[in-house]
Amino acid sequence: MKDEKDCEEQRLGHAGPAITSKEDEDQPIWEAAELSYTVPEHEDGIQLRTVLLSRLNLSRRLITRLKKLEHAITVNGGRSYNHKSLQAGDKVVIRVAEPQKETIEPEPIPIDVIYEDDDILVLNKPPGIVVHPTYGFPNGTLANGVVHYWRGRGEQTRFRPVHRLDQETSGVLVVAKHAYAHQQLSMQMQRGEMDKRYIAFVEGCPNPLKGTIDAPIDRDPVERHLRIVTPDGYASITHYDTLTCYTRNGMHAAKVSCILETGRTHQIRVHMKHLGCPLIGDKFYNPEGQLYKDIERHALHAAELSFNHPMSKERVVYEAPLPADLVQLEEDLKRKE
């Protein structure tokens, strides 16, 4: 089995001097976040790098980037990354800066905001829309709509999705509004501290009704856009719990809650097929599905997302109700005929 980390990669203020660097001197800079740390008495002599890495939890990559910017890392108000050690009472301030240049074009695409503050934007993604521009979808994406929403409010924030949802999957999606928030949330994903719960409607009724699917996933060697369960794949774990079983026209179906322990591409879709209960409407993994043909997408919804807020560290939970098409599907499945 392959060994791979799961990836889908203090006080905050918003004031301070403009930040510039040689590589950014020709483009404006948007200051996105400010963090500070005052050295306590018992840490007299602590290394600045230790403060950045262990107290403010900056990644090495972000530190390298900030070192190139004027006034991005200061000690007692002065630019100084060369401090070998700090004294008790020294104040370290980090200003996270973002180039205002954004290649994503704003488009007036409606978005459903669940929650927003200076650090994160939580959305209820509708089915049928791609999260980020790709070669096949250069525009008309959720990102285009979010950038339009921000620009309309005068914000120069860059679009930084912390994770992705398939085009047809609906539900909760979190976007970081600056590099530090993105780094903090990505680290939580890597450590398995971000919890995701999905609702899936499947053909058949799982047996057993509740359990864990521990089955490695990798690309299909023949159809590269698909994923398969294979012993040589990447570790993939899904916990599932059957909420309701239905019988319609002599065939069985179920509403299943799925919690991801890992975050592989198409994981729930592949694992439920592996269990013998492929998703209703899934054109890739259930093309011959007979139970319900009226739905235009696979029946999967990201119902709940919880994580530690990147700044306050408080545990937060966000939910998105079932969209109209899945509500209709559930009502139809409840009917015997």
Side-chain angles (χ1 to χ4, degrees):
M1 182 185 299
K2 297 179 182 178
D3 181 15
E4 181 189 78
K5 290 184 179 180
D6 297 310
C7 287
E8 292 252 75
E9 218 186 46
Q10 301 291 333
R11 184 181 61 80
L12 172 66
H14 291 274
I19 301 173
T20 58
S21 72
K22 291 182 179 180
E23 64 184 30
D24 289 311
E25 62 186 5
D26 294 328
Q27 79 173 320
I29 294 293
W30 172 270
E31 186 170 324
E34 181 179 295
L35 304 98
S36 64
Y37 185 82
T38 301
V39 179
E41 289 289 342
H42 68 275
E43 289 187 347
D44 186 75
I46 191 173
Q47 299 294 304
L48 174 59
R49 188 168 181 81
T50 301
V51 169
L52 300 180
L53 289 170
S54 302
R55 304 300 185 267
L56 295 175
N57 297 313
L58 300 179
S59 67
R60 288 177 172 80
R61 180 178 179 182
L62 184 55
I63 292 172
T64 299
R65 199 185 97 191
L66 293 176
K67 285 167 59 178
K68 300 175 183 178
L69 303 175
E70 292 287 346
H71 304 294
I73 302 174
T74 63
V75 177
N76 299 327
R79 182 187 183 188
S80 181
Y81 185 71
N82 296 320
H83 279 66
K84 297 300 182 181
S85 62
L86 301 173
Q87 296 179 344
D90 283 349
K91 185 175 182 179
V92 180
V93 175
I94 306 301
R95 295 186 177 91
V96 181
E98 304 281 357
Q100 288 190 16
K101 183 178 180 181
E102 174 63 87
T103 58
I104 298 173
E105 292 294 327
E107 296 181 45
I109 298 171
I111 62 173
D112 183 359
V113 177
I114 297 174
Y115 173 82
E116 183 178 18
D117 59 23
D118 292 329
D119 312 298
I120 60 174
L121 172 68
V122 184
L123 300 169
N124 182 8
K125 175 191 172 298
I129 189 169
V130 174
V131 171
H132 196 281
T134 64
Y135 180 78
F137 295 90
N139 48 45
T141 70
L142 192 67
N144 297 106
V146 170
V147 170
H148 180 271
Y149 163 74
W150 279 331
R151 296 301 179 269
R153 304 195 314 176
E155 292 188 35
Q156 299 299 319
T157 310
R158 297 182 67 186
F159 186 76
R160 294 177 179 272
V162 178
H163 58 114
R164 306 292 177 94
L165 294 176
D166 292 338
Q167 180 179 0
E168 294 185 4
T169 303
S170 55
V172 187
L173 178 81
V174 61
V175 178
K177 296 182 68 173
H178 50 79
Y180 180 76
H182 188 271
Q183 171 217 302
Q184 291 296 296
L185 294 174
S186 296
M187 288 172 62
Q188 288 185 49
M189 288 190 64
Q190 293 171 14
R191 295 192 298 257
E193 297 170 356
M194 181 176 286
D195 296 329
K196 307 175 197 173
R197 184 175 66 84
Y198 291 75
I199 295 296
F201 290 89
V202 303
E203 294 195 4
C205 197
N207 183 20
L209 294 177
K210 182 177 182 179
T212 296
I213 305 170
D214 185 350
I217 292 175
D218 205 350
R219 284 185 181 273
D220 187 316
V222 178
E223 298 186 74
R224 301 290 293 171
H225 63 289
L226 300 181
R227 302 302 193 270
I228 60 171
V229 168
T230 171
D232 296 326
Y234 297 105
S236 306
I237 300 174
T238 302
H239 307 285
Y240 73 92
D241 186 7
T242 304
L243 303 178
T244 311
C245 284
Y246 313 94
T247 300
R248 187 171 188 268
N249 296 329
M251 293 184 286
H252 300 291
K255 179 181 181 181
V256 181
S257 172
C258 296
I259 295 177
L260 295 180
E261 187 170 320
T262 55
R264 306 299 173 204
T265 300
H266 300 175
Q267 180 172 315
I268 291 175
R269 299 161 67 187
V270 174
H271 273 175
M272 294 313 295
K273 177 183 177 181
H274 180 68
L275 194 64
C277 296
L279 267 62
I280 293 173
D282 195 329
K283 302 176 185 66
F284 284 176
Y285 300 101
N286 188 23
E288 304 300 324
Q290 299 296 316
L291 182 62
Y292 190 84
K293 291 183 174 295
D294 293 337
I295 192 168
E296 297 181 353
R297 52 112 169 190
H298 58 245
L300 183 62
H301 177 70
E304 182 178 293
L305 183 68
S306 62
F307 51 86
N308 299 324
H309 190 280
M311 292 299 178
S312 70
K313 312 306 179 187
E314 176 187 1
R315 193 70 179 174
V316 292
V317 181
Y318 301 103
E319 298 179 321
L322 283 179
D325 62 340
L326 296 188
V327 171
Q328 183 62 55
L329 170 61
E330 185 171 23
E331 290 299 314
D332 290 344
L333 290 174
K334 289 178 181 178
R335 301 188 184 99
K336 297 293 184 181
E337 301 296 337

